[in-house]
Amino acid sequence: MKKFLKKIIGNNKIKRWILLTIIGMVLICYGFAKIFVAEELFFKDILKIVLTFIVGFTAMILGIVFTQRRTLAISLKENQLDSKEMLNARGVKDKGPNIVVIGGGTGLNNVLKGLKNYTNNLTAIVTVSTYGSKIHKPTEDLKSSIIALAQNTEEMQKLMNYKFDDPKLKNVDFGDLYFEAAQYIFGDFSQSIEKSKKILSMIGKALPVTLDEMRICAELENGMVIDEKERIALETANRITKINRVYISPSNCRVAPGVLDAIKAADAIIIGPGNLYTNVIPNLLIKNVAKTIKESKAIKIYISNIMTEPGLTDDYDLSEHLQAIEEHAGKDMIDYCICDNGEIIPEFLRKYNKEGANLVQVDTENLKGVRVIKADVSCIDGEYIRHDSDALAKQIIELICNELKYKDKQDDEQYILLNSKLKEQQKLSKKERKSAKLPRQKEKILKNRKRSKFREKYSDRIESIQNSDETRKENRKLQEQVNKITKAEEKKEKKRYIEETLKKKKK
């Protein structure tokens, strides 16, 4: 019987409807048979036959309808590919939007990590400065972007940051050697970066904003000029002043090959997150970069920093961040601004506050011409408050989808693929949240089960008794320690007394 039921209630859910159709037909046949066989029909018999006909006919119609529905659903399911297979088979990510991300540091890399799940057409435009610095090498941010764009980020990070044990290669990692070797082989730094996409199996590409040697300099409000990137924050904090402006030296740095073409072809341009004065604005100061961004028809999105930067953007609101970009690069640079809703665990905020950093306040009343999107885009990474890669990517892709909708491109292949990918990601995140909640819920249930009515009623009294027992135990331990000490002291005193009396007697 069990085997029969399993067959009827199969995974395809079609057998049950076939069975219902057969039951309906049997009931109709039974009704007809009753009419033909019966010699006399009374009211009760007629009522039974009519009810049998109604039930049988209803069952048969429902069975046929749901059998057809289920057959159609199965045929559609079989024709559709799994989302991952679909990505590989049809190259969905190859048809994704062209997205350019401008900035540097950890913030930029977090954006890249999230967006590479939606599109292969990614370009990271990175600040390459700190020439002559002993702390950082010019390619440090570029190397981080390559790691972020790698298909296997963790393995690539281990490889690129591997430090050699040989004393001759002290403070040199594999990433530095790779760039040196690639430049020597391909004869050009930009060519070596372009070739790295295939060699390192990257999703998208990372481009330096310029190949010319440059320094990021800052002019403070007190008139002082700082010509080293690493000293800007320190000098600003020590002299209790603010940054008036930043500039690059030399001012006529040429844009690297491929940068302007990437901006022109972009469907969306992301500016930030990152250090405002040392990672974001310097990219916009390179010749023709800001101009090309303004002329582009792409959506321009600014990702706001979650926290202010000590010595650089102390007490800056969101409007002041955008004002600084406008003052350095001109107006009409940004259409949208994505910022965090500020719901961060207080203990982590206190750590940042101690170091002089605060939450970037979203003062929408001071913003004109920029649409602000507040969302939960932050997460805790160890001891640091970071942008959540997946949450941030979802917000960016939703914006692109909404823009396509606004342009009546709902039937466009790009919109359909992006929208389906978004829904898939939302389902996955819901499942993850549920799976994370389940263990907590089980713990709560177990705790509630363990509590008896007596315990609930006299919980305060039980706790006070337990506390008093603990204090008694502690007092006993202390008393025992005191007794040991006093006994030891008494023994010492007795010894001393005996020794003194013996000495007196000898005299």
Side-chain angles (χ1 to χ4, degrees):
M1 189 68 183
K2 283 182 181 178
K3 286 181 181 178
F4 176 74
L5 285 169
K6 276 183 182 178
K7 280 184 180 180
I8 296 300
I9 306 164
N11 291 330
N12 55 18
K13 296 175 185 178
I14 196 169
K15 290 172 186 175
R16 63 190 72 179
W17 304 118
I18 293 167
L19 181 67
L20 187 68
T21 308
I22 293 163
I23 289 164
M25 288 169 74
V26 168
L27 287 170
I28 291 164
C29 290
Y30 176 77
F32 274 117
K34 272 276 185 188
I35 293 165
F36 292 129
V37 171
E39 291 178 3
E40 286 184 46
L41 289 169
F42 297 101
F43 180 73
K44 283 182 181 180
D45 299 324
I46 293 163
L47 192 66
K48 278 181 185 178
I49 291 163
V50 169
L51 285 169
T52 307
F53 264 113
I54 290 165
V55 172
F57 191 74
T58 307
M60 191 179 76
I61 295 297
L62 285 170
I64 291 163
V65 168
F66 281 103
T67 302
Q68 285 179 338
R69 272 193 188 180
R70 193 65 202 141
T71 309
L72 189 67
I74 290 161
S75 64
L76 284 168
K77 208 171 186 180
E78 283 173 0
N79 289 332
Q80 284 177 346
L81 287 166
D82 183 64
S83 60
K84 285 186 181 176
E85 288 173 3
M86 196 175 165
L87 285 171
N88 296 328
R90 298 184 189 176
V92 171
K93 287 198 325 192
D94 290 334
K95 294 173 185 177
N98 283 300
I99 301 176
V100 171
V101 187
I102 302 169
T106 313
L108 172 80
N109 299 333
N110 283 338
V111 176
L112 296 173
K113 280 176 195 174
L115 286 174
K116 71 181 182 184
N117 296 319
Y118 293 90
T119 180
N120 287 342
N121 304 314
L122 266 175
T123 305
I125 296 172
V126 188
T127 315
V128 179
S129 67
T130 61
Y131 284 94
S133 170
K134 293 176 185 177
I135 304 164
H136 299 292
K137 289 185 168 56
T139 53
E140 197 66 36
D141 282 344
L142 196 62
K143 186 172 70 177
S144 299
S145 296
I146 286 169
I147 291 166
L149 288 168
Q151 286 187 358
N152 192 329
T153 303
E154 288 178 12
E155 295 299 319
M156 184 62 77
Q157 191 167 15
K158 286 176 189 175
L159 181 67
M160 283 288 178
N161 294 330
Y162 175 75
K163 298 220 178 270
F164 297 93
D165 297 328
D166 194 330
K168 291 176 184 177
L169 297 168
K170 194 180 179 182
N171 296 325
V172 176
D173 54 40
F174 175 77
D176 299 325
L177 285 179
Y178 170 78
F179 284 120
E180 286 289 331
Q183 194 170 347
Y184 179 78
I185 293 163
F186 300 113
D188 182 271
F189 189 70
S190 62
Q191 275 294 312
S192 65
I193 296 298
E194 186 65 37
K195 296 278 183 183
S196 294
K197 183 181 175 179
K198 287 182 181 177
I199 295 164
L200 301 172
S201 188
M202 287 164 58
I203 297 165
K205 57 188 175 183
L207 298 174
V209 70
T210 182
L211 297 175
D212 296 343
E213 288 195 12
M214 72 166 192
R215 288 183 183 274
I216 295 169
C217 309
E219 182 190 290
L220 307 184
E221 281 185 346
N222 61 6
M224 184 182 176
V225 173
I226 304 158
D227 61 355
E228 281 182 40
K229 181 183 171 181
E230 281 77 26
R231 284 179 52 233
I232 295 170
L234 186 68
E235 291 292 339
T236 310
N238 287 344
R239 296 178 188 277
I240 317 166
T241 185
K242 284 189 174 185
I243 294 168
N244 188 34
R245 71 182 180 103
V246 287
Y247 61 93
I248 54 171
S249 177
S251 58
N252 61 343
C253 288
R254 293 163 299 171
V255 68
V259 170
L260 297 182
D261 292 332
I263 293 167
K264 285 173 186 174
D267 296 307
I269 298 165
I270 316 296
I271 299 169
N275 293 334
L276 182 68
Y277 287 113
T278 56
N279 280 335
V280 177
I281 291 172
N283 285 305
L284 307 175
L285 298 177
I286 303 295
K287 194 178 179 182
N288 291 327
V289 170
K291 185 190 172 193
T292 311
I293 291 169
K294 285 178 203 173
E295 288 171 356
S296 171
K297 292 179 181 178
I299 313 162
K300 292 126 192 173
I301 306 164
Y302 174 69
I303 311 292
S304 171
N305 290 340
I306 300 165
M307 306 298 293
T308 59
E309 302 146 89
L312 294 171
T313 56
D314 295 297
D315 303 320
Y316 269 41
D317 293 334
L318 178 60
S319 61
E320 287 172 296
H321 281 80
L322 294 172
Q323 190 182 333
I325 291 169
E326 194 177 289
E327 284 170 0
H328 286 84
K331 293 181 179 180
D332 303 321
M333 286 291 292
I334 293 152
D335 302 318
Y336 295 93
C337 177
I338 297 172
C339 53
D340 188 59
N341 56 20
E343 292 174 9
I344 297 165
I345 301 162
E347 64 184 89
F348 286 95
L349 280 176
R350 283 189 212 107
K351 286 178 186 176
Y352 274 81
N353 293 153
K354 283 175 185 177
E355 292 169 9
N358 293 303
L359 274 173
V360 174
Q361 297 300 318
V362 183
D363 54 336
T364 45
E365 65 278 2
N366 296 327
L367 295 169
K368 289 177 182 177
V370 178
R371 281 161 278 187
V372 178
I373 296 157
K374 271 189 174 186
D376 186 10
V377 290
S378 65
C379 66
I380 303 299
D381 182 13
E383 293 181 358
Y384 300 98
I385 299 165
R386 303 283 192 213
H387 280 95
D388 187 317
S389 303
D390 295 327
L392 201 54
K394 278 177 197 170
Q395 289 299 322
I396 292 164
I397 298 301
E398 271 181 30
L399 262 177
I400 294 166
C401 281
N402 290 337
E403 195 71 16
L404 288 167
K405 244 189 202 179
Y406 177 73
K407 291 174 182 176
D408 291 326
K409 290 185 178 179
Q410 290 96 321
D411 299 326
D412 192 72
E413 189 180 17
Q414 195 180 82
Y415 174 79
I416 293 161
L417 294 173
L418 278 178
N419 204 33
S420 63
K421 184 70 181 167
L422 260 177
K423 285 175 180 176
E424 184 193 317
Q425 289 291 335
Q426 283 164 357
K427 282 178 185 176
L428 283 170
S429 58
K430 276 181 183 178
K431 281 180 183 177
E432 282 170 11
R433 281 174 205 158
K434 280 181 182 178
S435 60
K437 282 178 182 178
L438 277 170
R440 291 177 193 170
Q441 286 172 349
K442 282 179 182 178
E443 280 177 22
K444 283 180 182 179
I445 290 160
L446 286 168
K447 281 179 183 177
N448 292 332
R449 279 179 185 172
K450 284 174 186 177
R451 285 181 184 175
S452 61
K453 287 181 181 179
F454 175 82
R455 193 170 181 83
E456 283 177 8
K457 194 174 182 180
Y458 298 103
S459 59
D460 296 333
R461 200 174 293 178
I462 289 162
E463 278 178 24
S464 63
I465 291 162
Q466 283 173 347
N467 291 333
S468 62
D469 286 339
E470 282 172 11
T471 49
R472 277 174 197 163
K473 283 175 184 176
E474 284 174 9
N475 290 335
R476 277 176 193 167
K477 283 178 184 177
L478 285 167
Q479 191 65 45
E480 283 172 7
Q481 286 174 359
V482 169
N483 289 336
K484 282 178 184 178
I485 293 162
T486 49
K487 280 177 184 179
E489 288 293 325
E490 280 175 4
K491 280 180 182 179
K492 283 179 184 178
E493 193 66 35
K494 279 178 183 178
K495 261 189 181 182
R496 193 175 60 78
Y497 179 74
I498 290 161
E499 283 171 3
E500 282 179 2
T501 49
L502 285 167
K503 279 178 184 178
K504 283 175 184 179
K505 281 179 182 180
K506 282 177 183 179
K507 285 178 182 180

